[in-house]
Amino acid sequence: MTTPTPVTTPFDSETTALEVVRELDLTGRRAVVTGGASGIGVETARALASAGADVTLAVRNTEAGQRAAADLTAATGNDRILVAPLDLDDLASVAAFVRNWDGPLHMLVNNAGIMASPEMRTEQGWEMQFATNHLGHFALATGLRPALAAADGARIVSVSSAAHLRSPVVFSDIHFRQRPYDPWLAYGQSKTANVLFAVEATRRWADDGIYANALMPGAIRTNLQRYISEEELARMRSGAAASFKTPEQGAATSVLVATSPLLDGVGGRYFEDCQEAGPNQPGTRTGWAPYARDPEAAEQLWTVSEEHLKG
């Protein structure tokens, strides 16, 4: 089997989301951005809206979403920015969002998430980070598959993290029922799941014109770190991750994966700093772990995820 040629772009770690779309016209294209009211989510939405896309902010807090939408409309002049409720750890909320969606969907940006939280569980007893970061987005994407297929060339953006290097998906104990709960291992396996989802969604759905890719946005100071102490943040910043990006820079890779013509027909890959990444080299915090792009693990995760949703 030949190795696909890596995608290269004229952008880099300092590129902003608005710079990625500067030459693009997204008029007539529709996007959903989960967690679109703050952080890199709102900057992703800003860039898509500035290029003319119809953007739906799928958010837990609709009041915050309405404020963000008003700000985005004022900043971009685009009045086609909508807000819809979405609670990713509540499957009934995800199902309601899917039922209320009408028409094609060109870009699904699975951006929302939680990081390194204390041990919390859903009503089903699922570990909260895996449930929110992966299972909720899995339910959303599979529910919206007909809308994505109707777009005739849809993109799914799966926001992962270098933290996926911390852990594969531990299929024997995904929800920490036997092993001691570790917030970073839980976060890491949920981010690995985001990459595996992109691999398997592309394999299953490419014939429908749907391609999914995963990405590492970079280290950005946002509300995502609300469970992390200042001391831990300082330690992270002094480590291999080095400098923090601005939210505008952090959203750039998401926007690239969602919009760039350079990614037409490209799926199942992992991007960072607006470039396709290679495999991780030992001792570094860049690139993808082999277990995160393992096709057998990707297929197993899909099956396990479907079983979760069946109850």
Side-chain angles (χ1 to χ4, degrees), residues 68-285:
D71 290 344
L72 292 173
T73 294
T76 65
N78 184 340
D79 61 1
R80 299 180 309 282
I81 302 172
L82 305 176
V83 177
L86 178 68
D87 186 345
L88 288 164
D89 63 44
D90 180 351
L91 293 181
S93 174
V94 177
F97 184 96
V98 170
R99 281 196 308 273
N100 291 330
W101 185 266
D102 183 50
L105 175 60
H106 302 84
M107 295 166 277
L108 173 59
V109 184
N110 290 333
N111 166 83
I114 56 174
M115 173 194 280
S117 65
E119 184 172 4
M120 298 186 291
R121 297 186 179 274
T122 67
E123 64 178 18
Q124 297 92 340
W126 302 337
E127 190 278 314
M128 187 64 75
Q129 294 189 79
F130 190 81
T132 301
N133 298 348
H134 169 64
L135 288 172
H137 281 129
F138 179 85
L140 181 65
T142 52
L144 291 173
R145 179 186 176 180
L148 292 161
D152 190 24
R155 305 270 185 96
I156 302 176
V157 180
S158 195
V159 179
S160 181
S161 167
H164 86 273
L165 298 168
R166 292 176 179 267
S167 178
V169 175
V170 181
F171 289 105
S172 61
D173 189 19
I174 286 174
H175 298 296
F176 292 85
R177 293 188 170 114
Q178 283 79 48
R179 52 184 171 144
Y181 179 74
D182 182 301
W184 283 110
L185 291 181
Y187 183 64
Q189 78 161 357
S190 76
K191 295 291 101 178
T192 292
N194 294 152
V195 188
L196 290 172
F197 168 80
V199 171
E200 185 66 6
T202 297
R203 187 186 75 83
R204 289 173 177 255
W205 296 349
D207 287 347
D208 289 332
I210 304 168
Y211 292 87
N213 288 288
L215 66 102
M216 158 63 171
I220 308 112
R221 184 64 188 271
T222 69
N223 193 45
L224 182 65
Q225 291 95 27
R226 62 188 175 274
Y227 295 115
I228 304 173
S229 69
E230 289 297 327
E231 292 77 13
E232 177 73 359
L233 280 172
R235 186 194 65 77
M236 292 167 61
R237 189 166 189 172
S238 65
S243 60
F244 275 49
K245 293 182 178 183
T246 66
E248 295 85 355
Q249 292 169 332
T253 307
S254 294
V255 173
L256 176 95
V257 169
T259 66
S260 175
L262 296 170
L263 274 73
D264 285 346
V266 171
R269 306 196 199 179
Y270 180 82
F271 290 77
E272 56 193 8
D273 294 337
C274 292
Q275 304 290 335
E276 183 177 346
N280 173 254
Q281 300 302 312
T284 72
R285 297 292 295 169

